[in-house]
Amino acid sequence: MLYPIIMAGGSGTRFWPLSRKSRPKQFLSLTGEGPLLSLTAQRVGSLAPLSRTYVVCGKAHAAMARKLLKGMPAKNVLVEPIARNTAPAVGLAAAVVARKDPAGIVMVLPSDQHVRDTAGFRRALQAAAKAAQAGALVTIGIKPGHPETGFGYVQQGKVVMKGALPVHAVRRFVEKPDLKTAKKYLASGDYLWNAGIFVFRADRILEELARHMPETTAPLAAIGKAAGTAAFSKVLAEQFPLMPSISIDYGVMEKASGIAVVPADFGWNDVGSFPALPSVRRLDAHGNVAEGETVLVDVADSVVLGSGKRPLAVIGVSGMVVVDAGDAILVCPKERAQEVRKVVEELGKRGLGEVL
Amino acid sequence: MLYPIIMAGGSGTRFWPLSRKSRPKQFLSLTGEGPLLSLTAQRVGSLAPLSRTYVVCGKAHAAMARKLLKGMPAKNVLVEPIARNTAPAVGLAAAVVARKDPAGIVMVLPSDQHVRDTAGFRRALQAAAKAAQAGALVTIGIKPGHPETGFGYVQQGKVVMKGALPVHAVRRFVEKPDLKTAKKYLASGDYLWNAGIFVFRADRILEELARHMPETTAPLAAIGKAAGTAAFSKVLAEQFPLMPSISIDYGVMEKASGIAVVPADFGWNDVGSFPALPSVRRLDAHGNVAEGETVLVDVADSVVLGSGKRPLAVIGVSGMVVVDAGDAILVCPKERAQEVRKVVEELGKRGLGEVL
């Protein structure tokens, strides 16, 4: 059986001032179609019922997640007592699933991505699930459309399972490349974007966690044992923090052998920061994303998000990000959007935590 | 006796979204020191008491002007029934002054300028008043510091009255030049900026208005006759609209003979639009004007005005204007700031008059 696990623990600052500590990007309607978390749940809706779908998130966001995903049992929102990166989060979900269904297939899905072709996305997951059933740790590799330097890559090897979507062995995972290397990857044809989507049997990932991150073995065993009992919260609060803060990529996937990848192309986009929005939203005739009561005079290739409460007028710029969040405003060129963290730091220093 | 006449009839859009129809720039604290209108009144304070100082403005702004200039008799705020450019406004003030004191010296002062050296400003006005006493129509010519293309110029001729500040004949007024011409003017040394400051006896300007704009003769005679009587408002409402909408420069000064100019240098600035603010305000180390809760990361030569109510973060730009007026926001490069009128037009079309 399939168990979608939606990873909603993120708390980045790259969408400030829209995103806040109390409302990270997975809760924002960045694509204009609804909160990213809701869209992620809808996307896997036909693969598994909400009763078998889980969300892993932080304490501060559990209530919001439960409110958004109304049909999901409240207990399926697994609350991390503290942030510990993705390996412990995946371990937690796998332990909970394995308690009832050790051979259950866990599908780890980031909550902040955009997918244009939902049917293609599901086909890729089903191909991955088939390989996972046989024991493989499987990732989905996105066929790259350009030499992106902002993602890690997966190098595919020979086909290990034939089908409409063949499954390949993974030769290696590589970190974010420089542009020259990214171009080489693109040209080679056997490098894929690592989308952070992983599919494996619950018992298999627990086995590999025990092998490559032995510090997780005892905590995950205790958590699994307590799953479904009244002691669960207490045990989770005690055991979860004992695990090291490491990503599942680094902690397991890059080290384990027998990793497989399903190369796929379903209009995938990481909704990583403001400059990514033009890829996932409707553009005006000049390549702008514009929302709210905006007045654009000779503006091109820009992201202009008004609050809807007051006019936002922009004249004569190109490649800019202008965002009015109602209680804070940001103006910056697209290529410097990552420096918004400096603003967040500075506002923190000034004691203006209410807008962070 | 001296009668300062502060011209506060302007209603431009170049400081939108700070300026509004209901609150034009002369009522804004654009230099950070108080409303421009109040500063103008203070600047002439030692030349004449408020009882002899007049303000000419539109209906919509009379109450605000009276509130700002508390010590001034309410009747000294002369209200234009409709906007008619500066010649009728000057005529109105001259007619009112002439009713009591035909040889009274009227000093026409724009309400939206900045002066660094107030003492120098007063010395120039006193020199002008002396020449005006003798019957001349006098203007103040600002010694140019750079080849400005945004102002008209006055070409000075021979000295007609000696003194610490000699008074020259005016050879001619010229319109805003192109850059090449402006450079020539600067190099020649005998071209001065036309600051729109004029000094003349009330009877003399009425005489010249009658000569060059004969349509004004009857209305101004009627208005002067009614001044100080209960019929004043009614007569003004009837007669003022009969005068043509022409500037005093074009209607009289450029046509009359015997015009004089006092060349002066008192740190004068036209506060014409956002790009002018760096000349009249304190700058940070990177040449920015910054006001409110701003967070500037690698920003230079920009004008960033926050509302004070919420953070305004700007990253990695140079030469930009970013203004949060609370209920509307503007972002544009300095050199395109004049296009803000396009925004105002568009918002008008959308029926958003409340922010215009």
Side-chain angles (χ1 to χ4, degrees), chain B residues 38-348:
Chain B
S38 308
L39 298 178
T40 304
Q42 287 163 24
R43 199 174 294 137
V44 290
S46 72
L47 294 176
L50 277 175
S51 61
R52 287 209 309 269
T53 301
Y54 291 81
V55 170
V56 186
C57 68
K59 267 184 192 175
H61 311 130
M64 197 159 35
R66 287 182 177 123
K67 203 172 155 195
L68 273 184
L69 303 172
K70 283 205 173 58
M72 174 182 282
K75 70 173 175 51
N76 286 19
V77 175
L78 302 172
V79 184
E80 299 164 294
I82 57 170
R84 270 289 184 257
N85 210 328
T86 54
V90 168
L92 159 60
V96 169
V97 167
R99 173 75 177 163
K100 284 191 183 172
D101 183 2
I105 290 173
V106 162
M107 304 189 303
V108 175
L109 305 163
S111 59
D112 52 2
Q113 301 184 338
H114 181 255
V115 165
R116 200 159 38 235
D117 171 13
T118 301
F121 170 79
R122 289 174 184 159
R123 281 194 301 272
L125 280 180
Q126 279 161 329
K130 208 173 140 197
Q133 190 75 56
L137 306 191
V138 191
T139 184
I140 307 289
I142 309 295
K143 292 177 183 168
H146 61 269
E148 173 66 49
T149 59
F151 307 143
Y153 285 71
V154 184
Q155 187 184 14
Q156 67 180 43
K158 63 180 195 309
V159 172
V160 293
M161 188 181 282
K162 289 181 184 170
L165 283 175
V167 182
H168 292 249
V170 166
R171 293 184 61 167
R172 57 172 186 147
F173 285 84
V174 289
E175 300 289 315
K176 296 175 186 177
D178 59 22
L179 185 61
K180 197 181 149 195
T181 310
K183 284 180 174 169
K184 227 162 55 184
Y185 289 172
L186 183 64
S188 83
D190 61 352
Y191 283 84
L192 305 157
W193 289 336
N194 177 0
I197 303 174
F198 303 110
V199 182
F200 24 60
R201 284 206 325 254
D203 56 1
R204 282 287 296 123
I205 189 65
L206 289 170
E207 225 175 271
E208 296 293 334
L209 277 162
R211 178 169 301 141
H212 301 288
M213 295 175 63
E215 315 90 311
T216 66
T217 312
L220 290 176
I223 289 167
K225 198 173 159 202
T229 75
F232 183 66
S233 293
K234 188 169 166 287
V235 171
L236 187 59
E238 287 166 3
Q239 299 292 323
F240 194 85
L242 303 178
M243 295 191 280
S245 181
I246 292 177
S247 74
I248 190 74
D249 300 62
Y250 184 74
V252 176
M253 301 302 284
E254 298 181 12
K255 289 170 179 157
S257 55
I259 308 283
V261 61
V262 179
D265 185 4
F266 41 72
W268 177 89
N269 265 290
D270 176 51
V271 190
S273 61
F274 288 115
L277 294 188
S279 304
V280 300
R281 294 189 68 139
R282 189 195 307 264
L283 304 181
D284 73 12
H286 308 285
N288 301 304
V289 174
E291 182 181 284
E293 191 70 69
T294 58
V295 180
L296 307 187
V297 177
D298 193 18
V299 172
D301 300 326
S302 294
V303 173
V304 182
L305 305 178
S307 67
K309 289 173 197 152
R310 59 180 153 260
L312 173 51
V314 186
I315 302 171
V317 300
S318 166
M320 289 290 283
V321 172
V322 181
V323 180
D324 173 16
D327 56 358
I329 298 166
L330 171 70
V331 177
C332 72
K334 271 184 188 175
E335 72 269 18
R336 301 192 66 170
Q338 77 283 5
E339 293 179 49
V340 71
R341 68 186 156 69
K342 294 182 186 170
V343 171
V344 170
E345 276 167 32
E346 173 62 24
L347 289 171

Side-chain angles (χ1 to χ4, degrees), chain A residues 16 293-295 297-298 310-317 320 322 324 326-333 336 339-340 342-343 346-347 350 352 355, chain B residues 16 293-295 297-298 310-317 320 322 324 326-333 336 339-340 342-343 346-347 350 352 355:
Chain A
W16 185 92
E293 191 71 69
T294 58
V295 180
V297 177
D298 194 18
R310 59 179 152 262
L312 173 52
V314 185
I315 301 171
V317 300
M320 290 289 284
V322 181
D324 173 16
D327 57 357
I329 298 164
L330 171 70
V331 177
C332 73
R336 303 193 64 169
E339 293 178 50
V340 71
K342 294 183 185 170
V343 171
E346 173 61 25
L347 289 171
R350 292 189 197 171
L352 293 169
V355 296
Chain B
W16 186 90
E293 191 70 69
T294 58
V295 180
V297 177
D298 193 18
R310 59 180 153 260
L312 173 51
V314 186
I315 302 171
V317 300
M320 289 290 283
V322 181
D324 173 16
D327 56 358
I329 298 166
L330 171 70
V331 177
C332 72
R336 301 192 66 170
E339 293 179 49
V340 71
K342 294 182 186 170
V343 171
E346 173 62 24
L347 289 171
R350 292 190 198 171
L352 293 168
V355 296

Side-chain angles (χ1 to χ4, degrees), chain B residues 25-45:
Chain B
K25 67 173 172 170
Q26 55 271 31
F27 296 97
L28 301 176
S29 178
L30 289 172
T31 63
E33 297 159 331
L36 294 175
L37 175 59
S38 308
L39 298 178
T40 304
Q42 287 163 24
R43 199 174 294 137
V44 290

Side-chain angles (χ1 to χ4, degrees), chain A residues 118-155:
Chain A
T118 301
F121 169 80
R122 289 174 184 158
R123 280 194 299 274
L125 281 179
Q126 279 161 329
K130 208 173 140 198
Q133 190 75 56
L137 306 191
V138 191
T139 184
I140 306 290
I142 309 295
K143 292 177 183 168
H146 62 269
E148 174 66 49
T149 58
F151 306 143
Y153 284 71
V154 184
Q155 187 185 14

